[in-house]
Amino acid sequence: MKTKFYKYFLFLVLASISNSCSIYNFTGTGKIDAKTFQVNNFQNNALLIEPGIDRTFTQKLQNLIQNQTNLNLTSSGGDLLYEGEITEYRISPMTATADQKASQNRLSITVLVRFSNKNKEKDDFEKRFSFYYDYDGATQLIGSKLSDALDTIFERITQDVFNESLAKW
């Protein structure tokens, strides 16, 4: 009698584990009711224009979604559509020295994202995402320094966009 109970209990535990794994994965997306996604080019409409950041952001968002889902990237007619623009690219002094020079600066970038889900319109949104990168006031953001700053900022913003649109965290 006890062995029958243990077999039944073991069966229930295994069934619940295997069932729960089918609707959750390690990226936290759960089940996505879509097969394709489209990321339109994000235009740089900020007052201070840094050439190439629109292309960089668009590619980073495409790569993140491809790496964390099994969705296929398409150039038109995607089930999921990401579009928008970079609305702010700003460098601000954060702290000053005694002789009124910036000892630390902050690069802030804000991106307006419009997300549309053809299969689940209640998931659609339009939202601003922003992040920053602090750096030494004596340093100029050029070359690899700018690349590092953009990597840090875009990694955070694209992950926030992903979480808002697919992970629902």
Side-chain angles (χ1 to χ4, degrees):
M1 181 75 169
K2 283 187 178 183
T3 20
K4 189 175 183 180
F5 172 76
Y6 288 125
K7 286 181 183 178
Y8 181 71
F9 179 74
L10 182 61
F11 173 75
L12 285 176
V13 168
L14 290 175
S16 66
I17 289 172
S18 65
N19 186 30
S20 65
C21 290
S22 67
I23 60 172
Y24 182 80
N25 60 34
F26 292 112
T27 61
T29 58
K31 188 174 186 302
I32 301 172
D33 293 329
K35 293 189 184 335
T36 60
F37 76 99
Q38 173 183 342
V39 179
N40 289 345
N41 189 41
F42 279 73
Q43 296 295 316
N44 187 355
N45 294 332
L47 292 176
L48 182 59
I49 295 193
E50 180 63 41
I53 66 169
D54 46 356
R55 182 175 34 87
T56 302
F57 178 78
T58 301
Q59 289 173 342
K60 288 200 178 285
L61 184 57
Q62 288 172 342
N63 292 340
L64 178 75
I65 296 168
Q66 282 183 313
N67 291 338
Q68 294 193 14
T69 69
N70 60 354
L71 298 171
N72 295 313
L73 177 63
T74 184
S75 58
S76 64
D79 297 328
L80 306 178
L81 172 64
Y82 296 85
E83 57 187 353
E85 57 267 347
I86 297 171
T87 59
E88 183 177 25
Y89 181 97
R90 181 183 55 187
I91 297 175
S92 314
M94 295 305 296
T95 56
T97 61
D99 58 349
Q100 299 299 313
K101 291 184 181 175
S103 63
Q104 187 176 29
N105 289 328
R106 174 173 285 180
L107 170 62
S108 302
I109 298 178
T110 301
V111 180
L112 175 65
V113 177
R114 289 180 294 281
F115 171 75
S116 302
N117 183 339
K118 286 184 181 177
N119 302 324
K120 229 178 183 181
E121 290 183 11
K122 69 178 182 130
D123 288 350
D124 295 0
F125 66 81
E126 181 173 336
K127 185 174 178 181
R128 293 183 190 280
F129 296 89
S130 50
F131 199 62
Y132 60 90
Y133 179 83
D134 292 336
Y135 62 98
D136 185 83
T139 303
Q140 288 191 0
L141 275 184
I142 55 174
S144 65
K145 291 284 187 189
L146 178 60
S147 183
D148 291 346
L150 293 176
D151 284 346
T152 299
I153 292 170
F154 288 159
E155 180 180 329
R156 175 63 177 267
I157 292 175
T158 56
Q159 190 64 55
D160 288 349
V161 170
F162 178 86
N163 290 344
E164 183 74 22
S165 62
L166 297 173
K168 306 289 190 259
W169 287 5

